[in-house]
Amino acid sequence: MKEMTVATINQAIGGKLAVLFGGRSAEREISLKSGAAVAAAFERQGVSVEKIDVADDGWMQRLKADFTQVFIALHGPGGEDGTVQGALECLGVKYTGSGVMASALAMDKFRCKLLWLGMGLSTPKFMELTAASDWAAIIADLGSVIVKPACEGSSIGMSRAASAQELQSAWQGAQAYGRVFAEQWVVGSEYTVAILNGRALPAIKLETDAAFYDFNAKYLSNETRYLCPCGLSAADELELSELALAAFNSLGCEGWGRVDVMRDSDGRFYLLEVNTVPGMTDHSLVPMAAKQAGLNFEQLVLAILAGSISDGASS
């Protein structure tokens, strides 16, 4: 993609750029922070922008009347799952990031993993949980697991379980968020790879003293450690980047996103999930990877926006 300047971006959007943020998902507060940071970055560069909270009544009418281009800074259901993307396509408003189908697939971690299994892409063993599940049999098959709502982000509703009783309790705590599954716990290191306009940015290794990289470790703790460069050999980081790109492309994702991966003690990588609208807060990972690649926050948001304008990926 040819680099676009602020002048060419302003010309392309006609001064009609909105940042969609907020919404009604469990990730609303993170989205408010992401949207505010993105809008401020555009303003610092002379790009006219307005913030629109999709929790407000009449946001679609306002958007249709006044804007031609949207930067989506919504996280979770209702913003990252293809619903807003579908509404924008009906309105004829261009938007950043992945389209309807890719957004929906990435948001549903359970179906995403089913797709990866069919394509032969490495992901930890998993099993859907229901009221009829045989908790003891699942633990016997998978061992220690992490329980996840299929369609939430930011580690909301997630917990570890190593016994039948813990598994049932974890399921009961997560089912308020919809479909739930158990994923085999991988003992090893966690990495994340940001994708920007067709290329993988430098990988980040995540280290936390918590039981896992949970909501507190992601957004609140100052003790979480982010290693970038990640410490892998050049060959291993290339393998990780290629796997992340394969996962991103397998869903039909576009523009930008982030792929989370575990590496076990034998050195094998396992895909966890794809985030199509990652956080853009002061604790967020994509800006960190972009900085390592030589892009500051302002350049990053311009690159994301330029990708949706010049490539015609989202319309």
Side-chain angles (χ1 to χ4, degrees), residues 24 27 45 63 67 86 142 154 163 169 221 224 233 280 284:
R24 295 188 172 91
E27 298 181 73
Q45 298 175 94
L63 195 65
F67 299 94
L142 300 184
S154 293
S163 69
S169 178
S221 175
T224 305
S233 68
M280 293 287 276
S284 295

Side-chain angles (χ1 to χ4, degrees), residues 211-276:
F212 62 94
Y213 188 51
D214 59 10
F215 185 93
N216 182 74
K218 287 180 177 179
Y219 299 113
L220 304 176
S221 175
N222 291 318
E223 303 302 319
T224 305
R225 298 172 293 280
Y226 305 99
L227 306 183
C228 191
C230 67
L232 291 172
S233 68
D236 286 344
E237 184 160 5
L238 177 61
E239 179 186 350
L240 173 58
S241 296
E242 289 178 343
L243 178 63
L245 277 169
F248 190 80
N249 293 332
S250 73
L251 305 180
C253 294
E254 299 170 271
W256 73 300
R258 203 189 74 233
V259 183
D260 297 337
V261 182
M262 291 295 299
R263 191 188 196 207
D264 69 13
S265 56
D266 293 326
R268 183 178 180 183
F269 292 111
Y270 293 87
L271 294 165
L272 299 181
E273 62 180 280
V274 174
N275 297 273
T276 54

Side-chain angles (χ1 to χ4, degrees), residues 87-99:
L88 294 173
E89 295 204 4
C90 289
L91 294 175
V93 176
K94 296 175 75 68
Y95 57 89
T96 55
S98 296

Side-chain angles (χ1 to χ4, degrees), residues 189-194 201-207 213 225-232 237 240 258-261 283-292:
S189 301
E190 183 167 359
Y191 297 87
T192 191
V193 180
L201 300 184
I204 300 172
K205 183 179 182 182
L206 311 172
E207 294 183 346
Y213 188 51
R225 298 172 293 280
Y226 305 99
L227 306 183
C228 191
C230 67
L232 291 172
E237 184 160 5
L240 173 58
R258 203 189 74 233
V259 183
D260 297 337
V261 182
H283 276 64
S284 295
L285 300 169
V286 174
M288 194 180 305
K291 182 178 180 180
Q292 183 66 26

Side-chain angles (χ1 to χ4, degrees), residues 298-312:
E298 289 76 15
Q299 292 169 322
L300 172 62
V301 298
L302 280 182
I304 293 169
L305 179 61
S308 68
I309 292 172
S310 65
D311 292 344

